[in-house]
């Protein structure tokens, strides 16, 4: 019975770690989008990364995308970027369960990629274009660190057992 309980607990913690990564990733993206509205909409991480990806894509692939997706080609590109972010965020959440600081550092590194993409754009106005990605990454890294901390912090139960704070995690995630 104990081995089943440990397995369920490990699965639950893993699922919540993956959820933590998703929440942190999309919080980072949300903060970055809000900052880009104040700085310059073209500095948005999704727009900047999308533009950088299009710039580096061979002409034949671009032509195929336009033929295949028509006027929805930019939407498909943006959805692809968000889906990639989601997969990365899940992986980082799982990494953070074992290596909390490394997980947060990975969020910061992903933000640095967005900042580099924004600065590489031909219409970049300078360092301010990097701000949305950097500020968003810091927000996401802090959130991931806090949420995973709830999954790893020991908590004493009334029966004398030790475990992690599920209720605390859910309150923090909802906040």
């Amino acid at each position: 019975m104990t081995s089943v309980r440990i397995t369920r607990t490990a699965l639950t913690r893993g699922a919540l770690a993956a959820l933590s990564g998703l929440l942190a990733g999309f919080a980072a993206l949300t903060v970055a989008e809000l900052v880009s509205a104040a700085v310059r909409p073209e500095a948005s991480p999704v727009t900047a990364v999308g533009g950088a990806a299009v710039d580096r894509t061979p002409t034949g692939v671009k032509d195929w995308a336009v033929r295949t997706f028509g006027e929805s080609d930019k939407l498909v590109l943006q959805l692809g970027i968000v889906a990639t972010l989601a997969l990365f965020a899940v992986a980082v959440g799982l990494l953070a369960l074992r290596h909390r600081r490394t997980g947060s550092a990975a969020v910061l590194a992903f933000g640095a990629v967005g900042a580099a993409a924004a600065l590489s754009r031909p219409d970049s106005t300078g360092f301010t274009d990097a701000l949305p990605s950097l500020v968003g990454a810091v927000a996401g890294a802090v959130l991931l660190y806090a949420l995973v901390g709830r999954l790893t912090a020991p908590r004493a139960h009334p029966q004398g057992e030790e475990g992690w704070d599920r209720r605390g995690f859910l309150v923090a995630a909802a906040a």
Side-chain angles (χ1 to χ4, degrees):
M1 186 73 139
T2 303
S3 64
V4 171
R5 187 172 190 175
I6 290 171
T7 303
R8 280 187 194 157
T9 299
L11 287 174
T12 302
R13 285 181 63 211
L16 292 177
L19 175 63
S20 296
L22 279 174
L23 290 172
F26 286 109
L29 190 58
T30 301
V31 168
E33 291 294 324
L34 289 172
V35 172
S36 74
V39 171
R40 197 168 80 91
E42 294 82 5
S44 155
V46 174
T47 303
V49 170
V54 168
D55 290 348
R56 289 163 179 79
T57 301
T59 306
V61 175
K62 286 187 230 181
D63 293 342
W64 172 84
V66 170
R67 279 192 316 272
T68 304
F69 302 112
E71 292 180 10
S72 300
D73 63 333
K74 288 183 182 174
L75 175 63
V76 170
L77 175 64
Q78 290 175 338
L79 289 174
I81 291 168
V82 172
T84 301
L85 171 66
L87 291 173
F88 178 80
V90 166
V92 167
L94 293 170
L95 171 68
L97 186 58
R98 293 197 186 256
H99 307 285
R100 200 166 152 200
R101 288 183 181 149
T102 304
S104 291
V107 174
L108 293 173
F110 212 61
V113 169
L119 291 173
S120 74
R121 305 298 305 134
D123 63 342
S124 174
T125 59
F127 180 74
T128 56
D129 282 356
L131 282 178
S133 293
L134 297 176
V135 172
V138 169
V142 169
L143 180 60
L144 180 64
Y145 192 84
L147 289 176
V148 172
R150 292 290 188 166
L151 296 175
T152 57
R155 176 178 168 257
H157 290 277
Q159 296 87 6
E161 303 171 15
E162 283 203 10
W164 53 279
D165 188 6
R166 282 183 289 249
R167 188 168 291 146
F169 171 82
L170 293 174
V171 168

